[in-house]
């Protein structure tokens, strides 16, 4: 397998590229959390940045052909069309601290509320429902749609992974490792959920019925942050603490690759429309990782 990497500068180092996702228009969409911007970047190199204000953090493609993002400090959910038109919605709970967001199987967006121990649901026209979690101080973080028709999310300070049905029924699965502090989570190609444990330096795998396996990284201090399913049938993750990206296959075999820039601080990672992996680097760039057999 051959790995080819290239970095594309998209902002100054203080702007803070953070979230990234593949959009419905064949481009990458990313957030500039410190600068209040949402950017669009095509695999061909065309860059557009929309100054939206606030603190856009994580971003996901919605079922309505728009992009949806969370604003952690401003306690809002934002929507931006591919033409750059922005709308904002405020969850019913004040000071909610929304973090992760994803499209659900029910045509709505689902998001986590870190400050209120809730998971929220918002329809494309802005109607909210909130679901209380049976955990206090759990810090619900990232969220994804699972293979079982439910939503799966990490509980960073409860060191657990949660599952919520579209009807609001919640199950919490503790991770075996103490102080695991999971953050990123995604659905894998094997019918399981995969998460990264930033506190323990591990990748976790959990089946829909709650069976957990954990895989230690070569560097347990790497601070893995985000994870996604790759185009090669493996899972790819970022190591925020070491400026590396990692790959783990469904059998648990791990390899890591240094990014070209030391101290790049990679955050979110996604599969792009061009068959490569893309990650947002807080130093002001997007990194493209191409994988060939």
């Amino acid at each position: 397998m051959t790995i080819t990497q290239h970095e594309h500068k998209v902002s100054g180092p203080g702007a803070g590229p953070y979230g990234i996702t593949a959009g419905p228009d064949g481009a990458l969409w990313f957030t500039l959390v410190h600068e209040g911007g949402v950017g669009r970047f095509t695999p061909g190199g065309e860059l557009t940045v929309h100054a939206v204000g606030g603190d856009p953090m994580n971003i996901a493609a919605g079922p309505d052909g728009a992009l949806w993002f969370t604003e952690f400090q401003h306690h809002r959910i934002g929507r931006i069309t591919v033409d750059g038109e922005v709308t904002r919605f405020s969850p019913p709970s004040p000071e909610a601290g929304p973090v992760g967001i994803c499209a659900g199987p029910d045509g709505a967006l689902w998001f986590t509320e870190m400050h209120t121990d809730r998971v929220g649901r918002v329809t494309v026209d802005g109607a909210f429902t909130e679901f209380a979690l049976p955990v206090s101080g759990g810090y619900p973080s990232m969220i994804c749609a699972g293979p079982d028709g439910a939503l799966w999310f990490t509980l960073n300070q409860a060191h657990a992974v949660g599952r919520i049905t579209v009807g609001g029924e919640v199950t919490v699965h503790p991770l075996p490792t103490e102080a695991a502090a999971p953050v990123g989570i995604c659905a894998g190609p094997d019918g399981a959920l995969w998460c990264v444990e930033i506190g323990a330096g591990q990748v976790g795998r959990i089946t829909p019925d709650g069976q957990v396996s954990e895989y230690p990284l070569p560097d347990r201090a790497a601070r893995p942050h985000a994870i996604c399913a790759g185009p090669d049938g493996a899972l790819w993750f970022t190591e925020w603490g070491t400026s590396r990206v990692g790959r783990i296959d469904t059998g648990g075999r791990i390899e890591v690759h240094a990014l070209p820039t030391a101290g790049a601080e990679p955050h979110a990672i996604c599969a792009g429309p061009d068959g490569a992996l893309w990650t947002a680097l807080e130093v002001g760039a997007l990194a493209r990782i191409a994988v060939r057999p």
Side-chain angles (χ1 to χ4, degrees):
M1 185 175 61
T2 303
I3 306 294
T4 305
Q5 299 186 52
H6 185 74
E7 291 183 4
H8 301 269
K9 182 177 173 62
V10 294
S11 73
Y18 191 91
I20 190 168
T21 193
D25 56 348
L28 285 304
W29 286 76
F30 61 95
T31 60
L32 297 170
V33 66
H34 302 311
E35 195 172 71
V38 172
R40 177 184 184 272
F41 188 81
T42 69
E46 179 186 345
L47 173 66
T48 307
V49 175
H50 302 281
V52 301
D55 62 316
M57 192 176 185
N58 288 298
I59 189 166
D64 56 348
L67 290 304
W68 290 72
F69 56 91
T70 55
E71 290 189 69
F72 177 67
Q73 295 183 26
H74 285 75
H75 313 292
R76 298 181 300 206
I77 303 297
R79 176 186 185 270
I80 184 169
T81 67
V82 294
D83 297 322
E85 181 181 347
V86 177
T87 311
R88 284 189 167 89
F89 307 94
S90 297
S93 293
E95 309 296 310
V99 180
I101 190 166
C102 73
D106 56 348
L109 285 303
W110 289 73
F111 61 96
T112 56
E113 297 184 6
M114 183 174 280
H115 288 169
T116 63
D117 289 314
R118 290 184 170 94
V119 168
R121 175 186 185 270
V122 59
T123 64
V124 294
D125 56 358
F128 283 93
T129 310
E130 294 176 315
F131 302 94
L133 302 177
V135 176
S136 178
Y139 275 48
S141 299
M142 302 303 290
I143 189 168
C144 72
D148 56 348
L151 291 305
W152 289 75
F153 56 94
T154 52
L155 287 159
N156 178 260
Q157 290 302 293
H159 314 295
V161 171
R163 176 186 185 269
I164 184 169
T165 68
V166 294
E169 181 182 347
V170 178
T171 308
V172 174
H173 302 281
L175 294 170
T177 300
E178 185 178 353
V183 183
I185 189 168
C186 74
D190 56 348
L193 288 303
W194 291 75
C195 68
V196 282
E197 302 175 7
I198 197 170
Q202 297 184 144
V203 176
R205 177 185 184 271
I206 183 168
T207 62
D209 62 356
Q211 301 299 308
V212 178
S213 304
E214 293 176 310
Y215 305 94
L217 299 181
D219 181 354
R220 300 292 290 274
R223 308 289 287 171
H225 185 268
I227 190 167
C228 76
D232 57 345
L235 292 302
W236 287 77
F237 56 92
T238 55
E239 293 189 354
W240 174 72
T242 61
S243 295
R244 293 189 293 238
V245 292
R247 177 186 186 271
I248 182 170
D249 67 22
T250 54
R253 290 174 289 273
I254 297 172
E255 57 187 67
V256 295
H257 305 273
L259 291 165
T261 300
E265 296 191 64
H267 289 296
I269 188 168
C270 74
D274 57 347
L277 284 303
W278 290 78
T279 182
L281 311 180
E282 195 159 337
V283 290
L286 306 181
R288 180 182 187 271
I289 303 104
V291 186
R292 294 182 180 85

